[in-house]
Amino acid sequence: MNKLVFFLGPAGAGKTTLAKAVASRRKAAFFDMDILLRPAADAIMTMHGLDPTDRDSAEYKRLCRDLGYRITMDAALDNLGLDSDVFVVGPFTKEAANPGWIENELSRIGLTLQEVEVKVVLVTLADEELFRERIQGRHSPLDDWKFRNWEVFRSSLGSRTVTWPLPEANVALIDNSHPDLAVTTELVEQFIYQDDDV
């Protein structure tokens, strides 16, 4: 049975880094919404006379957000059934709050939660200052809006929940604050593959 593993959380939490670290140790296809959407988002924002590096404003969300999730999930769903697990990275804030979302997505390809093992890694950090430090350390122009509008952006750093009908054991809140990535990677790998490695 395929595993479909979501790495969810705020910007700067280290979702991508953590997912890549686990994927490098296991056979897993890797889909990061930011990467998949970037060429389209750059073009769409430019066509509308907006900042192509903006990934946080209301205009970006109106024009690009849903497209990004559709592109990402189409790619992820297309890989279910192959001989690898599927890792998906993104905030998925609205989607995680919709109890029927994951079942609707799987139904697009004729599958159910009984046929795909869905797990969720909710990635967070210990405090707001560590988020700021990690985001600054990325040196990405895509983060400029966050710093110019920190009071607005900081509201996205709160705790997350997932309302999908998953067993409690299939959702893990992971504090990614440890300075040694290997420590957290080991923890996440154990969570994802604990039943397989027994």
Side-chain angles (χ1 to χ4, degrees):
M1 179 186 295
N2 278 115
K3 295 182 194 300
L4 174 57
V5 184
F6 291 87
F7 289 75
L8 312 185
K15 303 180 295 294
T16 299
T17 302
L18 202 49
K20 280 185 174 179
V22 178
S24 72
R25 298 162 65 151
R26 297 283 182 158
K27 187 186 274 189
F30 175 86
F31 301 98
D32 185 328
M33 191 202 59
D34 287 343
I35 298 298
L36 293 170
L37 177 60
R38 186 168 297 167
D42 287 353
I44 291 168
M45 295 295 279
T46 300
M47 283 170 41
H48 284 83
L50 301 168
D51 179 0
T53 66
D54 172 11
R55 294 296 183 272
D56 297 281
S57 71
E59 292 88 352
Y60 166 79
K61 289 173 181 171
R62 180 177 62 83
L63 292 168
C64 302
R65 183 199 185 279
D66 290 347
L67 174 64
Y69 285 104
R70 185 71 271 137
I71 290 170
T72 304
M73 286 309 300
D74 282 354
L77 293 169
D78 191 52
N79 277 265
L80 287 177
L82 300 179
D83 187 25
S84 68
D85 296 321
V86 177
F87 289 1
V88 180
V89 180
F92 285 83
T93 310
K94 184 170 67 174
E95 292 73 16
N98 177 352
W101 182 83
I102 188 61
E103 291 172 303
N104 289 339
E105 286 296 312
L106 291 174
S107 73
R108 294 169 68 93
I109 56 170
L111 293 176
T112 68
L113 284 171
Q114 287 67 50
E115 297 166 294
V116 179
E117 184 180 8
V118 176
K119 291 197 169 188
V120 179
V121 180
L122 291 168
V123 187
T124 190
L125 296 174
D127 55 54
E128 181 182 325
E129 193 49 45
L130 191 50
F131 274 106
R132 181 185 282 273
E133 180 183 312
R134 294 270 179 95
I135 293 169
Q136 284 175 330
R138 303 193 304 198
H139 304 291
S140 171
L142 301 181
D143 293 326
D144 289 349
W145 187 96
K146 296 176 181 66
F147 292 115
R148 290 195 311 270
N149 300 273
W150 187 261
E151 285 306 309
V152 175
F153 170 72
R154 70 192 295 268
S155 66
S156 72
L157 302 178
S159 60
R160 306 281 173 102
T161 57
V162 175
T163 62
W164 305 337
L166 303 176
E168 189 176 330
N170 284 30
V171 180
L173 179 62
I174 300 293
D175 184 342
N176 194 27
S177 303
H178 199 288
D180 185 351
L181 177 63
V183 172
T184 313
T185 300
E186 182 72 26
L187 187 66
V188 173
E189 187 177 18
Q190 286 175 7
F191 160 68
I192 296 171
Y193 293 99
Q194 59 193 350
D195 297 331
D196 300 19
D197 296 340
V198 173

